[in-house]
Each structure stands twice: as structure tokens, then as C-alpha cells.
Amino acid sequence: MIEKQRSRVEGGRMVRRWAAVGTAAIVAVGVGWVPARADVPPPGGDGAGSGERADAAGARARVSAEVGDVRYTSSETLASGATFRTFETSGSGGRVAGELVDVDLRRAGVGLLRPPVVAARRTVSAMADAQHALAGVNGDFFNISETHAGVVPTGSSSGPEVDGGRPLKGAVPDGQRFGPALPPGTSTEDVIGVGADRRGHVARLRLTGTVRSGKTTIALRGLNQYALPVGGVGAFGPEWGDVSRQRAVCGTDQKRGDPCSTETAEVTVRRGVVTGISGTVGGGAIPSDTTVLVGREKGADALRRLKPGDRVRVSYRFTGPVRFRFAVGGFPVLRNGGPLDGLSATGPAPRTAAGVSRDGRHFYLVVVDGRSEQSGGVTVAELASLLDKAGADDAVNLDGGGSSTLVARSPGEPAVTVRNTPSDGSERAVANGIGVFTTSARR
């Protein structure tokens, strides 16, 4: 047995208690459209869309691992099972203000907010209204800026996406992601979501797949993602959109800024038959009956063995002991109610996070405002402390900084409104998000 610190609300203030619990192992568990653009972040913005500014992190660095007492300043019932709250606390940046949505998964649902294609961005409010969500926050880190000449940012997220039990995209290599440094032992394959058991989970999703043609079998190592592993092959379908796929062969597994590969191949498969092979990677919308295979280095060599007219079968899935109905990428900061080792204690900033209770029945969405006199933001380490005090047992850090947004719709209102104070002064278009839904509204 171990002793575990738990929290609950008494008289509007978070109170912590200790309770004995058994030692347990973490179980891994398996709209309208706008085009993505080569957007330039606003002056003084985050650049990579991350929750940290390179110039601010060092200048404001302080050793900090916990926030102060959490006081809830307002509460509103959005619908049965969904409660919106505002809160105040303190951290290394001084006063902290934020917003939280507590979702009881027995009475309400949580799902993916997204544009209709992977390589596109929309504001959280636009996605929430298009999908009739009660509330929502921004999601995973994404490809907002590029240093490769002639290559536009795709706007797509770094980690996996699952919607309605269907894999939409895989995870880029760790060295290709955007955002703060990953804590030791975590990966771009880590996600938060809800399983077929209707419980929340933080876990890891690994893409497995194959390209088969006759006696030839090629391992599939990517799905609708902006960066492929060196030597790998990835599949792109209509879900990707019309943005160029060139970014997928740029950088390496260790460094996002490394040059683009010159050893590439692209194969078009229509209705299970190879219809075209090219040495360059292209763009444009992909028809509903078509899959485009992109390879680099050894993966390109393997694709070149295919010939027009060859019959090809492409298959893929995410592996894990429990099946996800919804999942979005984010790196873990809290596990079994304790912060992970190696969390950054520098650079207070706006943050977005999501967590689940120990029994998986409650799903928490949290946004912390920052970069203002009203709220200094929190460090990643302080974020883990805040989530623990809010009742989460496992939690992930999502994209922060100018991306941090929480929207909600009061009963009777036709649309959501932004409830936090985005540090850019207005909403930023993001790659995806997490939405809260009534059972009848969830598609």
C-alpha cells in the first residue's frame, strides 16, 4: 500500500487529504472547412505554437513545482454532467487565473474538435459551434512555422488523432514535434482520450500497418502526418486535405530543422491499383477512392519496386490493450496523482491541459491565462500540481501560449463564447481541440 494525496472542494477552496490506496500499474489504452495557410505568427508570438517563448523562459526562470491553494470564484452548469468553473491560485509568476470544465462521462461526452481535414486550422469556437459542442479547449501542438525553403507549414498536429474509433493521423518522430521539451519516458505517441469503456485514459498509441502487393510487404510508418521517420513510408488519404505533402520528407528523427530528403518517391493507389509513380512529392486534394504513399530513403526504394497496374492493399491501425473512441496528442505531466520527473520549472506562460480522475469517470479541461498583470501563467511543473489539486490522477499538457483557449455555451445560447483571455488578444486558429458534448449532440 502507498499513501496518496487527494483533493476536494470545501467552502469554495480546494482541500487536500491523504488516503491509502493500493499500488497499481498504469494501463496503456489502446464541419466547415478552411484551408491551411503558411500563417506567420503574430509579433512576439510563440513561433512554434508552443506554450513557451524562447526569450521569456530564461528571463523568468524560477524554481517552482507547485501552485498555491486553488479557490473557485464562479460555477455554472452547462448541461447535465458538464460544469464550468473559474479559479484563482498563485505560482512563480505571481497571481494566476484560469478556467476549468469538469465533465462527468456518465452523463456527458468528450470528443475531438477538428477541421474537416488534418492539414488545416480553425479557431476553437468555430470548431465547437460547427460540431455543436457545449465547451472546448485547444488541443495538440502543431506545425505552425517552417524553416525549410519553399515548404509551407501544414497546420497539422504532432500527435495521433482518433475520432469515432477511427484513426485519422499518426505521430511524428519525437525530434520533429513542436512545443516544450518532452519529459523523460514520454513520446509524441502519448494521448489523452476516452475508450470504448466510456472512461478517460492517458496512454500511448502506436501506428502499425502494411502495404502489400503480391509477395511484397512494406511496413507503413506514417498516416496523414507532417513528418515521416527517416527511411519510412506513410499513407495520405482524403482526410489530409490539399496541402503539399512535401513537409513529410523534411527534417530527421532527431532534428526538425534538418534538410529535406532528396531520396523520395510517391505512389498513387486508386481503388487498390497503382496508377502513378513519381520521384517527387506532390500536393492537391486526394479523391475519396485514392491513397497516396510517400517514401523517403529506404522507404522510397521500396515504393519504386511497385509498378503501374500492380494491385496494392494498404492497412493500418493503432495498437494498445484498450480501444480508443476519441484521442488527441499531448505529453503526460501527471501519473497516478504524482508529477512526472523532469517537468520544466521555468517560463510561466499560458497553458492548456486535460486530465482524468482515478476511476476515469471525470474528464477535466483546464486553461490558465498568462502574460498579463491579471495572470502570470504557470510552469509545466506547476501545471501538474494544479491538475492534481483539481482532482486529476493522470493528465497531459496541451498546446499553450497564444493557442490557449477555452470556450463554453450557457444553456439557451446559440453559440459558444471565449471564456478565458487569450494572450494574443484574440483566438488563434489551431489544429484540433477537445470538445464537451451532450449525448444527443455528439456525432
Side-chain angles (χ1 to χ4, degrees), residues 31 233 318:
V31 297
V233 171
F318 283 129

Side-chain angles (χ1 to χ4, degrees), residues 1-8 15-24 26 334-339 356-359 384 387-389 391-395:
M1 301 291 285
I2 61 171
E3 287 217 314
K4 178 173 176 56
Q5 195 176 32
R6 302 304 302 156
S7 308
R8 60 191 178 93
V15 179
R16 303 174 68 78
R17 295 288 186 264
W18 289 91
V21 298
T23 304
I26 291 291
L334 192 70
R335 182 173 292 151
N336 278 348
V356 297
S357 60
R358 185 154 65 98
D359 63 2
L387 289 158
D388 179 37
K389 293 185 178 188
D393 207 58
D394 296 334

Side-chain angles (χ1 to χ4, degrees), residues 318-389:
F318 283 129
T319 57
V322 176
R323 182 166 50 95
F324 273 110
R325 297 298 298 166
F326 140 73
V328 68
F331 69 78
V333 295
L334 192 70
R335 182 173 292 151
N336 278 348
L340 271 67
D341 292 334
L343 296 181
S344 173
T346 63
R351 307 279 178 192
T352 302
V356 297
S357 60
R358 185 154 65 98
D359 63 2
R361 294 297 191 184
H362 282 260
F363 204 105
Y364 305 99
L365 304 178
V366 176
V367 164
V368 176
D369 290 327
R371 299 177 182 158
S372 72
E373 293 182 1
Q374 289 71 37
S375 183
V378 293
T379 67
V380 175
E382 290 170 335
L383 183 66
S385 167
L386 173 62
L387 289 158
D388 179 37
K389 293 185 178 188

